[in-house]
Amino acid sequence: MNSTRPNWTSRYSFILASIGSAVGLGNIWRFPYIMGKYGGAVFLVIYLLLILTICFIPLLAELAMGKTLKKECIGAYESINPKFKLLGFLNPLTGILISSFYFIVGGWIINYIYLSFINYKTADYGGYFSSFIQSPMLSILFTLLFLFICIFFTSRGIKKGIEFANNVLMPLFAFLLAGLIIFSLSLPNANLGLEYMFKPDFSKVNPEMFLAALGQALFTLSIGMGALLTYGSYIKEDKSMVKSAYTIIFSDTMFALMAGIMIFPAIFSFGLEPDSGAGLVFVTLPNIFAKIPFGNIVSAAFFTLLFCAALTSGISILEVSVASLTERMKISRIKASVILFIIISLIAIPASLSFGGLHNITLFKKSIFDFLDFTTSNILMPLNTFFLCIIAGWFLKIKGSQFINNKFFAMLFDIGLKFIIPVVLIGVLVAGLK
Ligand code: TRP
């Protein structure tokens, strides 16, 4: 076994970093607006059901695969069968594609932190947002800045970079979140927002909702891109992988719910609509911040919180490729980081320009940004998770009884990994492509 591979300082650092990876834009930006789109509480019920049953299995399998094989993704798949090398390679590839649009949104956040500090106000936040994302210089500059900050931490290694970032940013994130929740709940009519979140209207259930909930669940738990496999490969000792897996799932879900509790009461309190899509955080919320006393401070707190969440996730996305580059090409982390910076910039710059100058260029009728989002969330992540389950269940022969004491639950895990989840994922893929 490779003795030069880094390890986490403790089980706590591993779990914190995995929570940092899971809790990101998916929880605070995407979850509330998807929930808004699908009718609030009823979506939440379906989402919780899926996340506690179906998603637990691939999450545990991915971590266990990393921990057992102790290799970066490509090497891990290759060591099971050389023919699987290409499937392993799909993981960092997906990461690079995800990061290209993830970091663009990260760049938007930096701009909004800046706006809060200069106390920028306008009568038309929607107009401001679209003119900002269309302006080539600014959006590229902020995207590259966000990428640079993430790369800085991955280049410093596991302990000094990734653990350090999570140890500082995650507590700051939780602190700001708690403060903003108290603030939001103290607004008049806050209960309307809570009712919207927690009082399900089952007449709104539709099949598309299941697809959206599963896609959201895979994305928010960072499943299907090698991030958990890579983080799992740095584990020295973990007596209860099941507990670790549930801690990650539980924390991620709590943070998503808390993001909702922070956002929806504020939206309802101001009589605004919760279904404004991707602009919810960048248009609807700034509108509210402009109307409240000390709004710029609240705004700075909110976007800093979003920044912390996006940064710890961005780091995990990059680490997949950094690990592959350093271990396979035997180069330093710094070199690997520079190479990645260049590759990701080459994709992120056109994606960022697809809101403005390059909006005419379309791939399969989608702008470059939408195309990257669609291919990664709807195709590559379910596909990678499918291969992961097949390889872990049928070839690496990971068994539920390795982690779960209860015979019945261990058997459910095996059946889920080998049959149910692969079939569900194929269904999701086919439905998603329609
Ligand atoms: N889970 C993160 C979020 O919710 C995004 C993310 C980080 C991710 N690493 C990942 C998604 C790996 C898929 C795969 O924002």
Side-chain angles (χ1 to χ4, degrees):
M1 199 146 295
N2 187 347
S3 60
T4 57
R5 287 193 98 246
N7 281 316
W8 300 109
T9 312
S10 63
R11 177 164 176 257
Y12 165 81
S13 334
F14 152 65
I15 293 182
L16 189 69
S18 306
I19 296 174
S21 163
V23 178
L25 294 175
N27 302 59
I28 297 158
W29 171 63
R30 201 166 186 271
F31 179 73
Y33 88 70
I34 296 272
M35 192 168 153
K37 187 170 160 199
Y38 290 98
V42 57
F43 177 83
L44 182 62
V45 173
I46 293 173
Y47 172 80
L48 289 179
L49 274 177
L50 288 179
I51 218 163
L52 293 175
T53 52
I54 293 202
C55 295
F56 165 73
I57 296 174
L59 183 124
L60 183 58
E62 193 176 329
L63 284 176
M65 206 162 143
K67 181 173 175 264
T68 317
L69 300 172
K70 299 236 177 308
K71 287 200 165 68
E72 48 70 47
C73 294
I74 307 175
Y77 279 60
E78 195 181 18
S79 69
I80 300 171
N81 185 329
K83 286 194 198 119
F84 296 154
K85 188 169 154 187
L86 196 67
L87 301 180
F89 177 74
L90 279 181
N91 287 289
L93 177 73
T94 310
I96 288 176
L97 297 179
I98 289 189
S99 56
S100 310
F101 76 86
Y102 205 85
F103 292 165
I104 292 176
V105 182
W108 296 348
I109 300 172
I110 300 183
N111 179 53
Y112 276 73
I113 296 180
Y114 166 73
L115 293 183
S116 320
F117 278 105
I118 61 166
N119 204 359
Y120 174 83
K121 290 220 163 55
T122 164
D124 176 15
Y125 282 95
Y128 171 80
F129 180 60
S130 39
S131 70
F132 165 65
I133 62 176
Q134 283 167 21
S135 71
M137 282 314 285
L138 277 183
S139 52
I140 291 176
L141 185 79
F142 284 118
T143 304
L144 296 185
L145 181 60
F146 187 79
L147 174 60
F148 180 80
I149 301 174
C150 289
I151 289 255
F152 170 77
F153 286 109
T154 47
S155 71
R156 287 176 59 85
I158 303 303
K159 296 193 170 78
K160 280 199 219 139
I162 301 182
E163 287 189 13
F164 175 79
N166 279 290
N167 287 342
V168 174
L169 297 172
M170 289 308 284
L172 177 63
F173 166 79
F175 173 77
L176 292 172
L177 184 62
L180 287 174
I181 286 180
I182 296 173
F183 171 78
S184 184
L185 290 178
S186 69
L187 292 170
N189 293 328
N191 59 320
L192 292 180
L194 294 179
E195 267 173 33
Y196 179 78
M197 267 189 83
F198 295 114
K199 238 192 193 167
D201 172 1
F202 287 105
S203 66
K204 286 190 184 149
V205 177
N206 63 40
E208 200 194 322
M209 213 177 243
F210 284 86
L211 278 184
L214 191 66
Q216 169 64 18
L218 293 179
F219 187 83
T220 187
L221 292 173
S222 308
I223 299 173
M225 200 214 70
L228 293 168
L229 193 153
T230 310
Y231 275 13
S233 75
Y234 301 138
I235 303 176
K236 244 189 304 192
E237 194 45 67
D238 190 345
K239 294 215 177 65
S240 177
M241 292 285 283
V242 173
K243 236 191 193 161
S244 306
Y246 263 117
T247 311
I248 298 167
I249 293 186
F250 177 78
S251 315
D252 181 75
T253 310
M254 284 317 282
F255 280 125
L257 289 178
M258 281 155 73
I261 297 178
M262 161 177 74
I263 290 174
F264 289 117
I267 289 179
F268 279 87
S269 179
F270 284 84
L272 297 169
E273 288 303 320
D275 55 359
S276 59
L280 187 66
V281 159
F282 295 102
V283 178
T284 313
L285 292 186
N287 239 319
I288 297 178
F289 298 143
K291 291 193 183 111
I292 54 182
F294 303 109
N296 59 324
I297 297 177
V298 180
S299 168
F302 174 76
F303 286 107
T304 307
L305 164 161
L306 201 55
F307 176 76
C308 295
L311 190 56
T312 50
S313 300
I315 289 174
S316 80
I317 299 179
L318 290 179
E319 178 59 20
V320 179
S321 305
V322 171
S324 290
L325 280 171
T326 47
E327 284 174 42
R328 296 192 71 83
M329 297 173 60
K330 307 267 176 281
I331 54 175
S332 68
R333 290 184 79 91
I334 308 250
K335 252 196 203 142
S337 302
V338 173
I339 296 177
L340 263 181
F341 186 88
I342 297 171
I343 298 177
I344 296 177
S345 309
L346 289 178
I347 308 174
I349 292 177
S352 161
L353 291 175
S354 68
F355 292 104
L358 297 184
H359 73 274
N360 284 330
I361 299 188
T362 54
L363 296 160
F364 298 97
K365 297 198 192 123
K366 291 182 164 39
S367 75
I368 305 175
F369 182 93
D370 290 341
F371 175 78
L372 288 172
D373 183 3
F374 178 84
T375 350
T376 49
S377 317
N378 293 20
I379 302 175
L380 286 170
M381 281 175 51
L383 195 66
N384 290 341
T385 312
F386 169 80
F387 288 133
L388 173 93
C389 292
I390 297 289
I391 292 176
W394 294 91
F395 294 90
L396 188 59
K397 300 199 169 30
I398 286 184
K399 289 257 179 308
S401 54
Q402 288 166 257
F403 332 93
I404 306 171
N405 293 330
N406 182 305
K407 270 208 182 109
F408 177 69
F409 284 116
M411 187 186 75
L412 280 187
F413 176 90
D414 295 341
I415 298 175
L417 186 64
K418 286 174 135 174
F419 302 100
I420 302 177
I421 317 264
V423 172
V424 170
L425 287 167
I426 289 295
V428 168
L429 268 165
V430 173
L433 282 178
K434 267 204 249 148

